[in-house]
Every structure is written in structure tokens, then in C-alpha cells.
């Protein structure tokens, strides 16, 4: 018991140290006298970025060093395709660093690449902090932090499940061992607690690959968002990511709809004709409200968790007092523990609602 308690305490201290280290590198971009803006820091943290910044060493000194993973910035403008490394911005996202490529000048303003107008030597802003002498490129195909972490999550999932599959092939009577013993209960859970009850015994198998994919894909990306050393790559808190997953669920639901499903939408049986006319537009709207609710629910819950944790940690820098640090860290740790649970809950909710919609689309007439 004493050894287990010691392990828990040591892990907690290590986690808080890493979390504080990663957070401290997110809070400041200038010297110690620069006024700390919690709103700017939080928005910068939850948004996507062109580079994978991990840590800063000797900040503010001549020997300052940034540990980063440079990612390609790929844009298409009037002068064609332009590609350069995100390291060319030198971790600037205020438009100060100008990158000259292909006869054009690029700046990074609030993690969006802009092209300076002809003859402009520096970016200028209006009262709302929007560039006035720069414009966005026609297309931006850059490999951003979220895209990079999405590829990493795909690689991790492939590694886990291919390793589990090899374990099954090597074992006698397909008895799980190693990583397979961890994966199998989760797969059985998705099958027995989500697929079969929501879709039905006879039709659930065709949807299992998708249900398993989104469950593990959302879960692992939610977990990555809580790892401080990755600066919380907020993939599940990106509305484009949740929109894409919800759109796929909507497409599968629509294509799976049988005669009974469409009858209940356009001409509901068993009700008077005036009521059918009244209910039809409501049901049509409901077709689109369901995936929209999936999109917003996942996006809002994950983003809210990040914002709360960062806001609590910001109190240390807002009050500039060590006295507030224990309270701030304690509450941040409490919310982080809750977020660890929320990562799985949100993956479960998205999966079970998708399965519910598939079940509604394939339900036979009683």
C-alpha cells in the first residue's frame, strides 16, 4: 500500500511539473515586463498552429532555444504554389516576422498566414486588430499542428490494432495477450453495449468498423489534447474536425435509410393528414439537427475543458503571487482528472448517438 501511495504521489508531482512547464512556455512571448493577457494566451492555445512548439529554454536570454517540430506551410496564391517551413516565422504569430518566398512576403497573424500587399514592408492593423494591408492566400494546404497530431493518432491506432491482430494470430485458440487483452474488452463493449442494442442483432455488424473507428479515434485524440508536452493539440476542439465526423455519420444514416425511415419523415403513418403536413418540415429539420448536435457537443465539451484548465492556471500570472499557485494548481489538477474521464465519455456519446441514428434509419416497420 505504501509503495502504491508513493507511486501515485510521484506521478502527480511529475504530471504537475510537466503541465506547469508546458503551460509556462505558452504564457509569454516577450520579456518579463510584458503584460500577461489570459484571453490571448487561451485563444492561442485552443486554436490550431503552423508549428509544433514543445518547449522554450533560457527564455529572454541570448541563448534562448526553442524545441519545435517544424511543419510545412503550403499556400497557393496568384503566383502559384509556395512551400516553406513554419520555422521561418521564428514562433511569431503577431505579424512581426516577414518571410519572403516566391516574390511575396508572408506573415503569421494569429495563426493564419497572410500575404502582404505589394510594396508593404510590415503589416498594419485596424481597430479590431485585423490586417489592413495583407490578404489571405487563395488556398492554404498547410500541415498544421492539428493535422500532424491527427496523423500521429492514426499511426498509434494502426500500431495498437495491428499489434493486437498479430497477437491473436500467434496465440492458440485466439486467447488475447499483451495489447490484445487491453483492446478486446473495449471492442466487446462497443459491440455489446452500443452496436447490438442501438442497431439490432441482425444489422449491427456492417456498422461496427465505423463505430469502432470513431470511438477509438475520438478517444485517443481527446487524450492527446491533455498531454502538456504536446501543448494540448486541440484536434477534438476543432469545429472542422467534429463537423467532418458528424457529416460522415449523417451520410451513412441517409444512405442506410429504408422505406420505413423515409415514410416517418415525409408522411408519418397513423396520424391525420393535417398533422402529417405539420410534422414533415419538423422531421426534415431534425435530419440536420442530429448531426449538428453531434458536432457542437464534442467541440464544446472538449474546448470548454481546455479553457477552464488554462483559465485556472492563468490566475497565477494574473495575480502575480505564489500564494495563489497551490489553489490554482489544485483546481487545475481536479479539472484535468475530470477531463481524463470526459475524453472517454465524449467518445462514447458520439459513438452511441451515431449507432442510434443508424438504428433508426434501418428499423423495420412493426
Amino acid at each position: 500500500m505504501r509503495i502504491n501511495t508513493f507511486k501515485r504521489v510521484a506521478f502527480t508531482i511529475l504530471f504537475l511539473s510537466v503541465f506547469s512547464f508546458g503551460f509556462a512556455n505558452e504564457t509569454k512571448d516577450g520579456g518579463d515586463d510584458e503584460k500577461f493577457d489570459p484571453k490571448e494566451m487561451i485563444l492561442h492555445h485552443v486554436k490550431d498552429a503552423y508549428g509544433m512548439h514543445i518547449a522554450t529554454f533560457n527564455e529572454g536570454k541570448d541563448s534562448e532555444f526553442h524545441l519545435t517540430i517544424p511543419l510545412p506551410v503550403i499556400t497557393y496564391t496568384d503566383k502559384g504554389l509556395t512551400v516553406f517551413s513554419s520555422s521561418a516565422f521564428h514562433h511569431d504569430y503577431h505579424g512581426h516576422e516577414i518571410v519572403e518566398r516566391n516574390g511575396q512576403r508572408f506573415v503569421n497573424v494569429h495563426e493564419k498566414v497572410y500575404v502582404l500587399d505589394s510594396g508593404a514592408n510590415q503589416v498594419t492593423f485596424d481597430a479590431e486588430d485585423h490586417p489592413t494591408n495583407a490578404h489571405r492566400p487563395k488556398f492554404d494546404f498547410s500541415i498544421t499542428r492539428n493535422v500532424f497530431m491527427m496523423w500521429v493518432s492514426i499511426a498509434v491506432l494502426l500500431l495498437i490494432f495491428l499489434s493486437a491482430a498479430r497477437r491473436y494470430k500467434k496465440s492458440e485458440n485466439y486467447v488475447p495477450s499483451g495489447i490484445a487483452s487491453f483492446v478486446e474488452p473495449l471492442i466487446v463493449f462497443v459491440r455489446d453495449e452500443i452496436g447490438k442494442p442501438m442497431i439490432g442483432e441482425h444489422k449491427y455488424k456492417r456498422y461496427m468498423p465505423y463505430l469502432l473507428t470513431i470511438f477509438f479515434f475520438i478517444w485517443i485524440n481527446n487524450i492527446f489534447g491533455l498531454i502538456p508536452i504536446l501543448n494540448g493539440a486541440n484536434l477534438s476542439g476543432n469545429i472542422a474536425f467534429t463537423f467532418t465526423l458528424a457529416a460522415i455519420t449523417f451520410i451513412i444514416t441517409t444512405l442506410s435509410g429504408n422505406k420505413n425511415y423515409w415514410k416517418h419523415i415525409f408522411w408519418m403513418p397513423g396520424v391525420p393528414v393535417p398533422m402529417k403536413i405539420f410534422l414533415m418540415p419538423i422531421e426534415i429539420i431534425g435530419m440536420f439537427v442530429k448531426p449538428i448536435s453531434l458536432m457542437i457537443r464534442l467541440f464544446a465539451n472538449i474546448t470548454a475543458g481546455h479553457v477552464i484548465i488554462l483559465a485556472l492556471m492563468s490566475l497565477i500570472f494574473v495575480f502575480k503571487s505564489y500564494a495563489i499557485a497551490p489553489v490554482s494548481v489544485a483546481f487545475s489538477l481536479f479539472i484535468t482528472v475530470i477531463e481524463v474521464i470526459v475524453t472517454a465519455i465524449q467518445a462514447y456519446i458520439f459513438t452511441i448517438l451515431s449507432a442510434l441514428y443508424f438504428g433508426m434509419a434501418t428499423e423495420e416497420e412493426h
Side-chain angles (χ1 to χ4, degrees):
M1 290 297 293
R2 291 181 178 179
I3 295 176
N4 290 334
T5 302
F6 175 77
K7 288 181 178 179
R8 294 191 186 100
V9 174
F11 176 78
T12 302
I13 294 173
L14 176 62
F15 176 84
L16 291 176
S17 300
V18 175
F19 186 92
S20 301
F21 177 74
F23 175 82
N25 283 284
E26 283 285 313
T27 57
K28 294 185 180 181
D29 296 296
D32 295 335
D33 296 332
E34 183 177 347
K35 185 178 179 181
F36 174 68
D37 186 354
K39 177 182 177 182
E40 180 184 356
M41 182 278 299
I42 292 173
L43 291 178
H44 173 63
H45 183 89
V46 299
K47 289 194 303 183
D48 203 358
Y50 284 99
M52 195 71 188
H53 181 263
I54 298 176
T56 300
F57 300 94
N58 298 325
E59 185 175 359
K61 300 179 181 178
D62 295 336
S63 58
E64 181 176 292
F65 171 72
H66 296 275
L67 180 60
T68 63
I69 301 176
L71 300 174
V73 178
I74 308 171
T75 62
Y76 185 83
T77 64
D78 295 333
K79 294 188 178 182
L81 192 67
T82 303
V83 181
F84 58 92
S85 174
S86 61
S87 60
F89 288 125
H90 298 290
H91 317 287
D92 169 61
Y93 58 93
H94 297 290
H96 302 317
E97 191 71 31
I98 298 177
V99 179
E100 297 189 15
R101 295 287 190 281
N102 197 20
Q104 301 170 104
R105 294 182 174 183
F106 297 88
V107 292
N108 182 356
V109 180
H110 306 310
E111 297 301 354
K112 289 185 179 180
V113 168
Y114 285 84
V115 183
L116 287 176
D117 296 340
S118 179
N121 295 320
Q122 63 179 11
V123 62
T124 57
F125 300 91
D126 58 17
E128 298 180 352
D129 204 28
H130 296 148
T132 58
N133 61 340
H135 59 276
R136 294 276 289 149
K138 289 183 177 180
F139 299 101
D140 189 352
F141 306 107
S142 303
I143 308 302
T144 60
R145 179 173 63 185
N146 284 345
V147 175
F148 175 77
M149 288 309 303
M150 181 174 63
W151 290 353
V152 170
S153 66
I154 293 173
V156 171
L157 287 176
L158 289 175
L159 177 64
I160 292 174
F161 286 100
L162 291 178
S163 299
R166 283 195 295 268
R167 286 280 186 175
Y168 275 107
K169 289 182 180 180
K170 293 180 180 179
S171 65
E172 296 180 1
N173 300 323
Y174 296 102
V175 177
S177 62
I179 189 66
S181 61
F182 170 76
V183 171
E184 184 182 280
L186 296 173
I187 295 176
V188 172
F189 171 78
V190 174
R191 183 194 67 185
D192 294 345
E193 302 298 330
I194 298 179
K196 288 183 179 180
M198 296 298 138
I199 303 175
E201 290 280 349
H202 305 291
K203 298 180 180 180
Y204 79 92
K205 289 184 179 180
R206 62 185 296 194
Y207 299 101
M208 280 303 295
Y210 176 70
L211 295 178
L212 288 170
T213 300
I214 59 172
F215 177 79
F216 286 101
F217 188 52
I218 293 174
W219 190 14
I220 197 168
N221 278 293
N222 288 348
I223 293 173
F224 280 162
L226 294 178
I227 300 177
I229 200 66
L230 299 178
N231 277 332
N234 191 28
L235 183 58
S236 300
N238 187 302
I239 195 69
F241 175 80
T242 59
F243 168 80
T244 302
L245 294 181
I248 295 173
T249 295
F250 172 75
I251 292 171
I252 294 175
T253 304
T254 304
L255 295 179
S256 300
N258 57 20
K259 181 180 178 181
N260 181 59
Y261 173 72
W262 294 112
K263 184 189 297 183
H264 275 77
I265 290 178
F266 291 103
W267 206 249
M268 187 174 293
V271 298
V273 173
M275 186 60 66
K276 290 180 180 181
I277 299 173
F278 175 76
L279 290 175
M280 182 175 62
I282 297 177
E283 291 294 330
I284 294 174
I285 294 173
M287 288 176 55
F288 299 95
V289 170
K290 291 172 184 175
I292 291 174
S293 67
L294 279 179
M295 172 186 70
I296 296 176
R297 181 184 291 106
L298 180 59
F299 163 76
N301 279 280
I302 298 302
T303 302
H306 283 259
V307 171
I308 292 173
I309 293 172
L310 291 169
L312 289 170
M313 294 298 291
S314 298
L315 295 177
I316 302 173
F317 301 92
V318 171
F319 289 99
K320 297 180 180 180
S321 172
Y322 290 107
I324 200 69
V327 177
S328 179
V329 171
F331 277 101
S332 297
L333 177 61
F334 175 72
I335 298 298
T336 302
V337 172
I338 293 177
E339 280 298 298
V340 172
I341 302 173
V342 169
T343 58
I345 292 176
Q346 289 305 315
Y348 169 76
I349 291 175
F350 196 102
T351 306
I352 197 172
L353 288 178
S354 296
L356 176 63
Y357 300 154
F358 300 158
M360 294 170 61
T362 58
E363 184 180 14
E364 297 295 339
E365 187 174 2
H366 296 293

